[in-house]
Amino acid sequence: MRLRSLVREAALNVASGTTRAAVFCLALACVVVACAGADVAQVADIGHRAAEFRDRGGSTLVYRMKNGIDASVCDRLMAIPGVSAAGAVRQRSSGEVAAALPDQVIPTFDVSAGFGGFRALGGVSAANGVFIAEDLASTLGVVPGRSLALAAGDSRIGAVFRYPADGRLSGYGYSILSPTDASQPYDECWIEAWPATDALLSVVPTVLMPGAASNVAPGQGPQLKQLNASLGTRFDGAHTFESRITRFAPEVVVFIGIILGYLSVTRRRLELAASRHAGVSAAGQAFQLMVESLVWSATASIVALPLLGTFVVVQQAGDPSSLLSVAVWPVAASMPAVLIGTISGVLSVRERHLFVYFKSR
């Protein structure tokens, strides 16, 4: 048979329902959407947990040494790859007093000029003015850009930061952070790093002022902590991603796709054996069946892609493109798998078994 005739015959079989294209298309689309959707949901969950780990301060390290931190060196840690925020902190011996709350001393901390941008504080920075905790701002009824009346004089509010009580180091949830001269020693160096590599950890001690760690009492030396250790000491996103159970979604789609392609042929083995007996070549028949399978498998992909795209959007991931790449693999694997199953089915049909197929129909 000519190529045009084979294609026309395949089109007629699809249109007449001989291939059961709608049934196989629906079955394949359901498999692809289920497998790819499960993998997308799993990967999105890993991303959400990673974001929560960072937003709650798990990725923010606090290197502490009272009166031993060089603020200018701490600020320069921002130049290290993977470090998204860095800055020094020290607590004042006496806090500020707001004019609206004259009987209450507000814990006040000096911070270095580079302090800001920490996800655990809401990512805020204060180029001009002080940082004020969200709870304190709510109590005083103030917003960024306004003046904060203090007993020692007015201060401009540069930013309002959030600091919920969710396991973070205490003391900052109702406080003022005031950018101050970096020439004096500080108590802490905050570093937000993703990930916190061994190379970074080896550099952190350089923020100590010369001689700061010498002649200190046992237990009073430098300490490295997390701002919030309630979610664990480390979030190994790469290992979690590589070990997720849904990583086998493309393989599952391939397996089921091969089965569907095989069944789409073998259910018609009497018809196919009869065509062979009537003179249709095996090669021509294989081409015709592959065209038919390509029609319903491609249609299944066309049906699955918008559904998966919508599901990706619903996940509200920080990087939707990464989820789309996860979803595409099972879709891409489905058509080749169906064609492999189709070829396997064609090879299993024998003209000499025509009467056996007839008796077992």
Side-chain angles (χ1 to χ4, degrees):
M1 296 179 69
R2 293 182 179 181
L3 181 62
R4 182 181 298 179
S5 298
L6 293 171
V7 173
R8 184 173 63 250
E9 186 68 22
L12 290 173
N13 285 342
V14 171
S16 65
T18 302
T19 62
R20 299 287 181 88
V23 174
F24 284 105
C25 172
L26 182 60
L28 183 62
C30 289
V31 169
V32 170
V33 170
C35 292
D39 200 23
V40 166
Q42 186 72 45
V43 173
D45 179 66
I46 295 172
H48 292 152
R49 283 190 285 148
E52 181 185 19
F53 184 82
R54 299 182 68 186
D55 290 341
R56 291 178 58 178
S59 62
T60 301
L61 305 176
V62 178
Y63 193 65
R64 177 178 293 173
M65 177 69 185
K66 189 169 180 62
N67 294 322
I69 302 297
D70 187 327
S72 60
V73 176
C74 180
D75 285 348
R76 287 199 294 271
L77 293 181
M78 272 286 293
I80 298 176
V83 176
S84 57
V89 181
R90 68 172 174 230
Q91 185 168 10
R92 292 184 186 176
S93 56
S94 59
E96 296 282 5
V97 176
L101 300 170
D103 297 328
Q104 185 175 15
V105 177
I106 302 171
T108 305
F109 298 83
D110 293 327
V111 296
S112 59
F115 188 93
F118 293 94
R119 290 183 60 150
L121 303 184
V124 298
S125 298
N128 296 300
V130 300
F131 297 84
I132 180 171
E134 193 175 64
D135 289 349
L136 179 59
S138 178
T139 300
L140 297 175
V142 294
V143 295
R146 301 285 296 275
S147 293
L148 177 61
L150 301 172
D154 293 353
S155 293
R156 182 180 179 277
I157 300 173
V160 174
F161 67 92
R162 54 177 175 79
Y163 202 88
D166 57 359
R168 308 172 194 224
L169 296 177
S170 60
Y172 301 97
Y174 200 79
S175 66
I176 296 173
L177 310 180
S178 178
T180 315
D181 180 19
S183 62
Q184 299 299 315
Y186 279 65
D187 301 332
E188 298 175 348
C189 178
W190 290 22
I191 312 111
E192 183 180 338
W194 187 256
T197 62
D198 293 336
L200 170 64
L201 297 180
S202 67
V203 173
V204 170
T206 62
V207 303
L208 290 176
M209 301 191 75
S214 61
N215 301 321
V216 295
Q220 299 299 313
Q223 296 178 316
L224 181 64
K225 300 182 176 181
Q226 288 173 273
L227 186 65
N228 188 345
S230 64
L231 296 178
T233 57
R234 179 173 294 187
F235 184 85
D236 193 346
H239 174 73
T240 305
F241 177 81
E242 293 296 335
S243 61
R244 74 193 190 283
I245 191 170
T246 55
R247 69 187 184 277
F248 298 111
E251 287 83 350
V252 173
V253 169
V254 167
F255 177 73
I256 298 179
I258 290 174
I259 292 176
L260 290 175
Y262 183 84
L263 291 177
S264 70
V265 173
T266 55
R267 57 172 289 273
R268 299 165 58 193
R269 58 189 181 180
L270 175 59
E271 169 199 338
L272 300 177
S275 297
R276 295 265 190 93
H277 188 69
V280 177
S281 67
Q285 191 174 75
F287 178 80
Q288 176 189 321
L289 290 168
M290 288 178 65
V291 171
E292 295 173 9
S293 295
L294 187 61
V295 170
W296 60 260
S297 61
T299 304
S301 296
I302 294 172
V303 171
L305 280 173
L307 296 175
L308 290 171
T310 303
F311 189 62
V312 166
V313 173
V314 170
Q315 299 304 308
Q316 297 181 345
D319 182 16
S321 61
S322 63
L323 293 184
L324 282 174
S325 65
V326 169
V328 163
W329 280 108
V331 178
S334 62
M335 284 189 288
V338 168
L339 293 179
I340 291 172
T342 299
I343 294 172
S344 300
V346 171
L347 294 176
S348 70
V349 175
R350 297 286 186 271
E351 179 188 345
R352 64 177 179 270
H353 294 160
L354 174 61
F355 293 105
V356 175
Y357 299 151
F358 180 78
K359 287 191 292 184
S360 62
R361 73 189 189 280

